[in-house]
Every structure is written in structure tokens, then in C-alpha cells.
Amino acid sequence: MFSYHLFFKGHLKNKNHDLLVKSAFWGFSILLCMSFPLDVGGEYRLDIRIIPLLLGTLYCGWKTGIFLSFIVILYRLYSGLDLGFLNTFLTLLVAIPVILYFQKSFELAKRNKRVKIAIFLSFYYCLVGVFWLCILRGFASMNIQIQTIHFLFVLFSTWLFTTLNENIREIYQLRLEIEDAEKSRLISELTSVFAHEIRNPMQVTRGFLQLLKEPGSWDKKKDYIQISIEELDRANDVINDLLSFGKPSTSDHKKVEVCTEVRRVINIIKAYSMHQNVIIEANLSDNCWIDANPQKLKQCMINILKNAIESMPEGGTVWITCRKTEDGFVEIKIKDEGIGMTKEQVDSLGSPYYSLKESGTGLGMMVSFQIIQSLKGKVRVHSEKGIGTEFSILLPGT
């Protein structure tokens, strides 16, 4: 029960596969219970097969119930065709139809009622077992004493494991609700950011288009057109960042030589860095291979490198290194000598609302963090106010 919740719950999207795994776990539990019974005086072999049989049927449905019943019968037959087998067969023949009858009610019931149904059916199964035992072996006080102890232990165990299972299910459901609430909150934040950041360039562009209708010199109108184009480009960048965040690419991965991609990123951004009076110094090793989508990797590097350049309004140097670590990771370091950040600012990186730039949305850095996370990588940021920032990106190598 715990193994299923720990390793499989929520990971199996196909309902049939999920049911198959649960049935296999309950069946294996039955085999273990029957393989290690308690021998009493060499005459009685007591076990708690009823618990996985009962819970498996109630939680998984009638098909699993019939499957588990066949496991009990076949394994007991393998142990020998005797009175014990006959007792098992007759008990199942009488008890299983009642358990299957209550299965639908159990499925629709709330937690407390489920526990009561499970205890009642466990009581009924044990009562049927004692009845057939007395019929087949005869009534004896010793039989009653032993069966009473077994009876009470089974009832307690049924209550315990049903309650535990219900608690685990409630915790899992609560986690799903929290995740849904977090998604709704994030969508609300992104919608607010998106609306705000798109509205600004739209209003600016509209204002300059209105000015174009008025009489004036052509040179001034050309400036209006250029500003309008820049504002539309800014709106397009916001849309691209939002789309990149909403649809992270986890497919189309292939072997990528990281240093080759970093060189391409440097070539792409070189003109922008020169315009900002920033020099890029690179120290790149070869044979740094990872599994990644090259386009997404480049987008991530461009976002971080662009932030490093923009953190130095008076110009400066950005250092980029790429190497393979001894533990098999590929490490990319991007270091600048810009304005730096406080610890609180570093902790806020990746938030959609957070940006150190006046016209920034924070989406670019958020997208970069998500891309690195999708590659099963890690990001370490070390920064000091007035000294600079260093991004260290660790990606699993191949």
C-alpha cells in the first residue's frame, strides 16, 4: 500500500495501468500473508490475507476482487487439498459476493463510512470463516479461543490500514488541490503582467499614430514611426516570453555540444554588447555534451547574458566559461561586473513580477529557470551589490 502511494500514485496516467499495478500489489501482499502464516499447535495456520483481499476489492473494484480471490484459491490449493482448502473455498464462496455487493457503496461513501464498511465486511468474513471451521472441524473451546484472538487482530488491522490508506488519499488529494490553486494563482499573475506590459506599448504606439495625423515635419514623424516600431517589438518580446513559459519544450532533445552553442549565442549578442560598451571574454572547453533542445538552450543563454550586459550601464566585461566537471556535469558560468544584487533580490529571481529593469517583466529570467529545470539542471547565483553577479549553471552531461 505504501509502496504504491510512494512510487506509482499520480505517475500512471493510464487508468488501466494504474489498476493493474494496484491489483499486482494487493495480490503480492496476499501471497506474502499466506506464505508466512502463524502456526498454532501444528493444527492451525492463521494469516491476515483478508486485509489485502478486502481492501483490494473495495478500492479497485469487482474485477480485482475476483482476481484476488483466484490467487487465494490457487495458492491454497498449491499448499494441499485438505480441510483448510475447503474452509478457504467455502468462506470465499459465501463472503466475496457480499463484499462485491458493498463495493459500490464503499466507493461512493465518505471517509468515516468507508472505515465502518471495511470493518463490518472484515467482521462478516471472519464470522463466515469461523462458521465453516466449526462445521468442518467440529465445535471446540480451543477453536473458539484461537479464532477470537485472530478475529480481534484482523478487525484492528482492518481499521488501522483502512484509516492509514484514507489519510494518505486525503493528503494526496489536498496536494492536488494546492497545486491547482498555485496554478490558478500563477495564471492570474501572468495574466496581470501580460495585460500590463502589452497595454503600455499599445498606448504609446496609439499616441504616436495619432500624432502622425497632425501636420508637422517629416523628420519628426519618422521619429514617431521608429518609436512605435520599437514599442511593438517590445510587445512582441513579452508575447514570446509568455509563450515560452507556457509551453516549455521537453521534446526534440538531442545531443548538443554546449560550447558550440555558447559561441553561437556570443555571435548573436555581440553587436548588442558592443552597442552597450560591454566586452565578452570567453573561455570554452570542448566535448561538453548534453541532451537538450538547442533552440531552448540558446534562448536561456541569451536571456541570462543579456541581463548581464544590461546590468552594466557604464560598460564593462562579461566572462563566460564552459567546462565539464569531474562528477559528469557541464558547468556554464556567466560573470559580470555590474550593479549586483542583494540576497533578497537573488531569492526573488524567477518571479513573473520581479525584474531589476524598469521596463522588465521578469518573464525572461523565469523562462530561463524553467528551461534549466526541464533539463534536470541546477542554477546557482552569487551576487554582491556594486561588485557583480555570477550565474553558475550545471547541466547533466552525456
Side-chain angles (χ1 to χ4, degrees):
M1 185 175 71
F2 289 114
S3 298
Y4 166 74
H5 282 291
L6 185 61
F7 297 110
F8 294 95
K9 182 71 172 176
H11 298 291
L12 299 171
K13 304 303 180 185
N14 187 301
K15 288 186 177 180
N16 291 329
H17 294 167
D18 186 64
L19 182 62
L20 185 64
V21 170
K22 284 192 286 189
S23 301
F25 268 112
W26 290 122
F28 185 62
S29 298
I30 289 174
L31 294 177
L32 288 176
C33 289
M34 295 179 69
S35 297
F36 301 98
L38 177 65
D39 287 318
V40 183
E43 188 177 355
Y44 299 99
R45 291 164 58 86
L46 304 176
D47 60 57
I48 54 171
R49 74 187 77 166
I50 173 56
I51 296 174
L53 173 63
L54 176 63
L55 297 185
T57 303
L58 292 177
Y59 282 106
C60 300
W62 66 271
K63 291 181 181 179
T64 299
I66 294 173
F67 167 71
L68 297 177
S69 300
F70 271 108
I71 288 180
V72 172
I73 292 171
L74 293 175
Y75 193 65
R76 188 61 189 83
L77 182 61
Y78 171 77
S79 300
L81 189 59
D82 52 16
L83 286 178
F85 169 77
L86 187 58
N87 185 23
T88 297
F89 179 78
L90 292 173
T91 301
L92 287 173
L93 191 65
V94 175
I96 286 298
V98 176
I99 294 174
L100 293 177
Y101 175 79
F102 279 95
Q103 192 275 327
K104 187 56 70 174
S105 299
F106 178 88
E107 197 175 80
L108 299 174
K110 293 183 179 179
R111 172 191 164 159
N112 291 337
K113 191 175 180 181
R114 283 187 173 194
V115 175
K116 292 176 182 177
I117 291 173
I119 293 173
F120 165 75
L121 292 174
S122 178
F123 175 85
Y124 172 74
Y125 183 94
C126 291
L127 200 62
V128 172
V130 171
F131 171 78
W132 284 117
L133 180 69
C134 293
I135 294 293
L136 296 172
R137 293 181 181 269
F139 182 84
S141 60
M142 185 65 179
N143 291 352
I144 298 301
Q145 290 174 15
I146 293 171
Q147 290 299 327
T148 300
I149 295 171
H150 180 245
F151 188 82
L152 293 173
F153 181 75
V154 167
L155 289 180
F156 172 77
S157 299
T158 301
W159 168 81
L160 175 64
F161 285 112
T162 307
T163 303
L164 284 173
N165 200 43
E166 287 298 315
N167 285 340
I168 294 172
R169 284 161 59 92
E170 280 187 1
I171 291 169
Y172 177 76
Q173 189 61 38
L174 183 62
R175 193 186 78 184
L176 290 181
E177 290 174 4
I178 291 172
E179 288 177 355
D180 288 341
E182 182 64 20
K183 287 178 184 177
S184 299
R185 185 192 65 80
L186 185 58
I187 289 172
S188 176
E189 285 186 0
L190 290 175
T191 303
S192 299
V193 171
F194 182 72
H196 174 74
E197 295 302 325
I198 290 296
R199 186 182 290 116
N200 286 344
M202 292 297 103
Q203 288 176 340
V204 171
T205 302
R206 186 177 185 277
F208 280 113
L209 289 176
Q210 285 179 323
L211 290 175
L212 288 174
K213 292 165 55 179
E214 298 178 1
S217 67
W218 176 241
D219 289 338
K220 187 175 289 188
K221 289 183 178 181
K222 284 199 295 185
D223 292 338
Y224 297 161
I225 293 171
Q226 182 60 35
I227 294 172
S228 298
I229 291 173
E230 289 174 359
E231 289 299 302
L232 290 175
D233 286 341
R234 187 160 74 89
N236 190 54
D237 289 340
V238 173
I239 293 171
N240 287 336
D241 282 342
L242 188 66
L243 290 175
S244 298
F245 175 73
K247 296 181 180 179
S249 177
T250 55
S251 59
D252 300 328
H253 282 197
K254 60 183 181 180
K255 287 192 72 174
V256 175
E257 211 289 306
V258 179
C259 295
T260 301
E261 297 302 321
V262 172
R263 289 187 185 99
R264 288 174 181 164
V265 168
I266 292 172
N267 289 334
I268 290 171
I269 211 165
K270 184 176 285 185
Y272 180 72
S273 68
M274 291 175 64
H275 183 264
Q276 299 292 111
N277 198 27
V278 172
I279 299 169
I280 299 176
E281 296 283 349
N283 182 11
L284 309 175
S285 304
D286 291 322
N287 283 330
C288 294
W289 295 91
I290 64 169
D291 282 321
N293 181 314
Q295 292 301 116
K296 291 296 178 183
L297 181 63
K298 279 194 287 189
Q299 181 185 5
C300 170
M301 293 297 103
I302 288 172
N303 284 342
I304 296 175
L305 190 55
K306 191 168 176 235
N307 277 355
I309 293 169
E310 291 173 349
S311 72
M312 297 180 287
E314 304 299 323
T317 305
V318 174
W319 293 271
I320 302 178
T321 62
C322 179
R323 67 183 184 91
K324 197 163 187 175
T325 64
E326 293 180 357
D327 53 358
F329 282 84
V330 172
E331 183 181 43
I332 307 165
K333 284 187 177 180
I334 300 176
K335 183 178 180 181
D336 63 60
E337 48 185 6
I339 59 175
M341 294 178 283
T342 64
K343 186 179 183 303
E344 290 74 20
Q345 290 172 328
V346 170
D347 292 338
S348 299
L349 286 176
S351 167
Y353 276 123
Y354 188 76
S355 176
L356 293 174
K357 295 178 286 186
E358 290 184 6
S359 61
T361 64
L363 282 174
M365 191 59 68
M366 197 173 188
V367 169
S368 299
F369 274 53
Q370 191 187 49
I371 291 170
I372 294 167
Q373 187 179 12
S374 72
L375 297 175
K376 296 182 172 57
K378 304 173 187 176
V379 185
R380 298 170 185 162
V381 183
H382 176 73
S383 185
E384 291 185 45
K385 199 71 176 172
I387 295 177
T389 303
E390 180 181 87
F391 275 82
S392 177
I393 303 165
L394 290 168
L395 301 172
T398 58

